[in-house]
Amino acid sequence: MTQPFRLLLVLLLTIAPGARAALAQPPAPAGGRGLGFAPVQIGPPAPVPLEVAIPRPTQAELEQVNAAVKQFVDGDKSPVQPLLKKFEPLMLLQPPRLNVAATFNQTNQRMGARHEGFAATAKQGNIDLLLHGDSITDWWLQEANKPVFDKYFGNIRTANFAVAGDTTQGVLWGLRNGEGQGFQPKAVMLMIGTNNTGTFTAPEIAEGVGAVVMELRRDFPDAKILLLAVFPRATPGDPVRDKIAEVNRIVARLDDQQHVFYMDIGRKFLDERGVFLSDSFRADNLHPQAKGYDIWGEAVSAKLAELMK
């Protein structure tokens, strides 16, 4: 076995599982996790920062690599040749699929009164801090959590454009269609991606988060973006925790300490066993309660004040 083909074989067999899935799987449906809505029409792809982009071969590169793999397998005379032949399909590069998590896709959550209200608020301006994401951010303003919101944000001109159940693709569509025009905030606090975990791989989700950050930079070039790591969910040992951890490892690369500032406060909600602190999160192990929002507010308040100077 020649050294180049040995290296090629190692590369193909050890490529990150998420990236391989992103290359091999068929297009994924849009929409939030477990919402029961029919898929909506998929929108155009969004630009993705190089720091989080999944490597995708061109057609010429795909054909060149696969021809080399086939030649290597067919020409191997060692005792493992039958195994190489058996697993050859796993070593072949597959055509890349569209990553719906990084598209401008009008989800059900961004339809109707919520979106129209956000667009109207954006048009009015006078917003210094924009909060964006899904239900975890949306529910800062629920009655039980409102006193905590006022404690940390009451003296700041704040808009909350987060929507329960939404995804990276829905946030992208909203920003491009009225929610990102008409005002220039000093800072944005973003956390998005947990509702993508049921359908997308971690690298795909990270691309979606990166696309949202890029769109925020496009809409608000002077704003400082506090990019929060996706909060942990479920219980220790649940695979979704590992997927979220992988997403966070990838999106941390977006931190440039100039416009984007990454912060991971997830451990503040957990005890030494990785279990949510008592009364900090609901029984669903996903949504904070008032105590959890207080931990969140305390963790980010000083950084936000710095970014908004």
Side-chain angles (χ1 to χ4, degrees):
M1 184 184 298
T2 64
Q3 184 66 13
F5 283 122
R6 182 180 291 110
L7 292 175
L8 175 62
L9 179 60
V10 171
L11 172 65
L12 291 171
L13 289 177
T14 59
I15 188 171
R20 293 185 66 178
L23 291 172
Q25 297 175 14
R33 188 170 188 257
L35 294 173
F37 293 128
V40 297
Q41 184 173 353
I42 296 173
V48 172
L50 291 177
E51 292 86 350
V52 299
I54 299 170
R56 291 178 173 84
T58 65
Q59 184 62 32
E61 290 171 334
L62 187 147
E63 292 173 0
Q64 184 178 4
V65 170
N66 286 346
V69 172
K70 284 181 174 293
Q71 182 181 27
F72 162 66
V73 172
D74 293 341
D76 186 78
K77 304 302 182 183
S78 73
V80 301
Q81 202 275 345
L83 287 175
L84 292 175
K85 196 66 179 177
K86 177 180 179 181
F87 294 110
E88 179 180 321
L90 296 180
M91 294 186 282
L92 296 176
L93 290 181
Q94 303 298 317
R97 76 176 189 176
L98 173 67
N99 180 11
V100 178
T103 60
F104 295 100
N105 195 33
Q106 187 181 23
T107 55
N108 290 278
Q109 291 81 3
R110 296 283 159 184
M111 296 180 181
R114 289 299 297 276
H115 164 66
E116 293 166 5
F118 294 153
T121 299
K123 190 174 181 179
Q124 293 172 2
N126 297 319
I127 299 168
D128 290 331
L129 173 63
L130 175 64
L131 308 184
H132 222 320
D134 46 47
S135 57
I136 297 171
T137 300
D138 185 6
W139 293 356
W140 266 105
L141 296 178
Q142 287 190 338
E143 183 177 355
N145 307 319
K146 184 63 163 58
V148 184
F149 177 87
D150 292 339
K151 175 181 176 181
Y152 293 104
F153 305 108
N155 62 343
I156 305 172
R157 297 189 301 180
T158 304
N160 187 341
F161 288 176
V163 180
D166 211 0
T167 52
T168 53
Q169 59 266 36
V171 170
L172 282 166
W173 184 91
L175 287 169
R176 183 60 66 93
N177 290 274
E179 298 177 17
Q181 295 77 47
F183 68 108
Q184 286 295 318
K186 295 178 181 178
V188 180
M189 183 166 66
L190 170 70
M191 181 175 59
I192 190 66
T194 199
N195 290 318
N196 292 88
T197 57
T199 303
F200 298 93
T201 67
E204 288 176 317
I205 298 168
E207 278 198 332
V209 175
V212 173
V213 170
M214 185 169 276
E215 182 65 19
L216 288 169
R217 291 283 298 118
R218 174 184 178 274
D219 293 335
F220 313 124
D222 296 325
K224 300 294 193 296
I225 301 169
L226 181 60
L227 174 61
L228 295 180
V230 180
F231 288 173
R233 62 185 294 176
T235 54
D238 191 306
V240 74
R241 286 240 180 146
D242 294 332
K243 180 179 284 192
I244 288 172
E246 185 180 356
V247 171
N248 291 337
R249 283 193 295 270
I250 299 171
V251 302
R253 303 170 192 163
L254 296 168
D255 186 328
D256 62 10
Q257 289 297 301
Q258 293 182 328
H259 304 287
V260 182
F261 302 81
Y262 173 79
M263 180 180 286
D264 187 350
I265 64 172
R267 288 295 310 176
K268 293 182 178 295
F269 303 114
L270 308 176
D271 65 17
E272 66 280 357
R273 301 167 298 161
V275 176
F276 283 107
L277 298 174
S278 177
D279 298 325
S280 65
F281 272 59
R282 299 186 184 193
D284 61 7
N285 290 313
L286 172 61
H287 295 98
Q289 299 188 97
K291 178 179 176 180
Y293 281 107
D294 193 55
I295 294 171
W296 180 355
E298 183 177 5
V300 302
S301 57
K303 187 64 177 180
L304 283 175
E306 174 190 330
L307 297 181
M308 295 182 67
K309 288 180 180 178

